[in-house]
Amino acid sequence: MAARRTPCAAFLFLQISTTLWMSSAFTRNLSVELNPGSSAPPPGGDLVHVRAVGDNDTLHILFCSLGAPTLLLVRTAVTSSAVSVDWPRFLSRNTSGSLRVEPASSIVSSAALVFSRLLEYDDVNNTAEAPFDLFPPYQLQDVAWSRAELSGAAARLCGAVARGSVCLQMSVFAGEGRDQSWPRLLHTANSSQVVVRLDSLTARSQRSRFLLELQTLGGTHPLDAVQVRRSIDDEFTPSIFKVSEWTSRPNRSSDDTGAFVLWKQVSYRRSPPALEDASPCRHSDPRRRSGRALAEVSGLVRAFFADEDQGERAFGLNVSFGLAGEPFYNATKFLSWTALVGVGLPPTDAFSPLVAAIVAVGLGAPLVILLMGGVYVYLRKMSPGSASGYEPIN
Ligand SMILES: *[C@@H]1O[C@H](CO)[C@@H](O)[C@H](O)[C@H]1NC(C)=O
Ligand SMILES: *[C@@H]1O[C@H](CO)[C@@H](O)[C@H](O)[C@H]1NC(C)=O
Ligand SMILES: *[C@@H]1O[C@H](CO)[C@@H](O)[C@H](O)[C@H]1NC(C)=O
Ligand SMILES: *[C@@H]1O[C@H](CO)[C@@H](O)[C@H](O)[C@H]1NC(C)=O
Ligand SMILES: *[C@@H]1O[C@H](CO)[C@@H](O)[C@H](O)[C@H]1NC(C)=O
Ligand SMILES: *[C@@H]1O[C@H](CO)[C@@H](O)[C@H](O)[C@H]1NC(C)=O
């Protein structure tokens, strides 16, 4: 997608200066491994490991299709930590501790995001509101996922669902930036991005809409709240002003140990995304879920989290695509949605220089006119001839 507005010289300067500022920001060294320590491609799913080394810490990003697709982020306070997998135990999916990040004492934070189910409902009255008239859900743990396709620090998994495909594209970044295509989320070296695409699924009704069920397990803090931030700046995601941040309630002592899932409240009905194909998405409130049930669904959750962690710290929510009156899935047979998963605090969009300049001009111009008017009136009053101008008409 080409830029929507063409910046003039002054804006260009501002943009260049922010680009320079960005490139000096925090970066990590990335290395990617597929199925670390396994001699052959394991049956039943792939495990992608991206090791992202910072100045004083390491972020391990694991993406796995053993069971429901799962993204696990583990941050350690050292630059030498490593992932070790006991493959026979990992594949049998019945014990915790078969995937370890060592040394365990260096772990600062960890969190998993599980894509557990895809739900479809018949929106007979075109309300896009609960209670939903649900079809039997697609359990994503039962989907036969393709082998992970790697490209750089990105991996893609696809599964056949309803004679179409569900694909998850996970990307890890060395530094700050944005994708070329909308929603152009701001990512950092502390976050990874997942794009979910529902392509050519055979809808079970003419008025079908979809929900995606997500579950998280926070190793340090549960992700138990979603905050919606509003912005007046839609420079990077036209017409979308709301960002949802799924984090721990903001009463935790240190932000270093937290994790987040963030998304703009938009999905797109075509690829590549275009403005006219944008469709708002909404989410339900996070609800406590059974961590044990989550460990049944996700091989990575089972393998990494200790049994006692699996109990208390799981939360889930549904993201629903489309609002009342909008085209149904059938209209384009495509849907994409993008989220960012990271550690620390969620990145916030600073005012883009372009919008800042527009606001400055918008507020500044009337002020200048007012001032000039004031000066003009003042000068008129002061000038000797002015008195005659206001003499009463006889
Ligand atoms: C890394 O550690 C060094 C020495 O302890 C410290 O000076 C530096 O600020 C740290 N860097 C970051 C990014 O935390
Ligand atoms: C896990 O499963 C394997 C085989 O799939 C079995 O040999 C082992 O005893 C099981 N372990 C536990 C703790 O259930
Ligand atoms: C649709 O509307 C009809 C009539 O108002 C109502 O009886 C029915 O329960 C609605 N169906 C759903 C799924 O909301
Ligand atoms: C990412 O994490 C590192 C290490 O904790 C921290 O120094 C840096 O400020 C973080 N960067 C962002 C953009 O949050
Ligand atoms: C929409 O779905 C219904 C039911 O599956 C199907 O009969 C119909 O042909 C579909 N319409 C389009 C435009 O694909
Ligand atoms: C998602 O929605 C379905 C249907 O309304 C519901 O059964 C399920 O519990 C929801 N999941 C979560 C995590 O709230």
Side-chain angles (χ1 to χ4, degrees):
M1 272 300 125
R4 186 166 56 117
R5 307 162 179 136
T6 323
C8 78
F11 298 154
L12 200 62
F13 166 74
L14 282 166
Q15 301 229 320
I16 288 168
S17 56
T18 50
T19 312
L20 288 177
W21 174 77
M22 277 179 180
S23 57
S24 66
F26 180 74
T27 60
R28 290 180 185 276
N29 271 324
L30 306 183
S31 54
V32 185
E33 284 177 291
L34 183 60
N35 301 314
S38 168
S39 46
D46 273 329
L47 173 67
V48 178
H49 172 217
V50 183
R51 198 162 174 271
V53 183
D55 297 338
N56 295 335
D57 70 343
T58 306
L59 189 56
H60 296 275
I61 296 139
L62 296 137
F63 187 47
C64 184
S65 56
L66 197 64
T70 303
L71 187 62
L72 170 68
L73 270 67
V74 181
R75 195 167 119 217
T76 65
V78 297
T79 53
S80 57
S81 55
V83 165
S84 81
V85 185
D86 177 342
W87 279 99
R89 280 175 65 216
F90 185 68
L91 293 173
S92 69
R93 289 179 57 184
N94 58 5
T95 46
S96 78
S98 60
L99 183 147
R100 278 175 301 168
V101 173
E102 289 169 325
S105 59
S106 70
I107 296 175
V108 181
S109 64
S110 59
L113 173 67
V114 180
F115 297 84
S116 50
R117 295 194 296 172
L118 180 67
L119 303 146
E120 177 183 357
Y121 65 98
D122 185 1
D123 193 7
V124 272
N125 297 334
N126 200 355
T127 57
E129 292 282 356
F132 300 119
D133 192 359
L134 286 174
F135 292 105
Y138 297 108
Q139 309 283 346
L140 297 184
Q141 90 226 43
D142 297 337
V143 169
W145 295 99
S146 64
R147 306 246 60 120
E149 296 165 44
L150 296 185
S151 81
R156 197 163 77 119
L157 292 175
C158 288
V161 174
R163 281 176 275 156
S165 67
V166 173
C167 290
L168 287 91
Q169 166 102 27
M170 189 274 302
S171 315
V172 180
F173 310 100
E176 203 165 273
R178 293 175 196 276
D179 265 5
Q180 281 307 300
S181 62
W182 292 337
R184 305 202 64 201
L185 297 181
L186 175 66
H187 57 241
T188 69
N190 296 340
S191 54
S192 59
Q193 179 177 279
V194 184
V195 184
V196 181
R197 294 192 177 86
L198 310 182
D199 196 355
S200 313
L201 307 196
T202 302
R204 284 173 284 185
S205 78
Q206 290 191 13
R207 303 182 148 233
S208 280
R209 295 190 197 278
F210 285 93
L211 311 170
L212 183 63
E213 187 185 65
L214 304 174
Q215 305 201 42
T216 54
L217 201 149
T220 28
H221 302 281
L223 275 69
D224 53 0
V226 179
Q227 269 191 313
V228 177
R229 271 195 301 109
R230 281 157 216 271
S231 157
I232 61 162
D233 184 355
D234 72 336
E235 162 86 359
F236 294 107
T237 318
S239 83
I240 301 300
F241 300 94
K242 289 189 191 162
V243 180
S244 299
E245 294 174 357
W246 187 6
T247 56
S248 324
R249 273 179 218 288
N251 59 6
R252 60 177 193 239
S253 51
S254 161
D255 290 317
D256 292 358
T257 56
F260 64 84
V261 182
L262 169 157
W263 61 93
K264 291 228 174 157
Q265 293 189 357
V266 66
S267 59
Y268 292 96
R269 292 187 305 265
R270 261 183 241 273
S271 175
L275 184 55
E276 58 274 22
D277 303 314
S279 204
C281 66
R282 290 177 294 180
H283 58 84
S284 58
D285 286 332
R287 290 201 324 210
R288 194 177 287 280
R289 312 296 292 179
S290 153
R292 268 171 241 296
L294 193 56
E296 293 296 313
V297 163
S298 159
L300 203 47
V301 166
R302 160 69 86 221
F304 176 74
F305 290 97
D307 287 330
E308 58 272 23
D309 286 344
Q310 293 169 6
E312 280 302 302
R313 302 207 180 105
F315 276 79
L317 58 73
N318 285 320
V319 177
S320 64
F321 304 107
L323 303 179
E326 293 202 318
F328 299 102
Y329 178 79
N330 224 351
T332 55
K333 290 181 159 262
F334 182 86
L335 202 78
S336 76
W337 177 75
T338 306
L340 209 64
V341 187
V343 294
L345 291 175
T348 49
D349 270 323
F351 251 112
S352 75
L354 181 57
V355 170
I358 290 168
V359 169
V361 170
L363 292 176
L367 210 68
V368 168
I369 291 168
L370 265 172
L371 272 174
M372 279 168 56
V375 169
Y376 175 76
V377 167
Y378 179 76
L379 290 179
R380 278 289 299 266
K381 276 203 170 167
M382 288 296 109
S383 68
S386 70
S388 62
Y390 291 98
E391 266 169 15
I393 310 157
N394 178 29

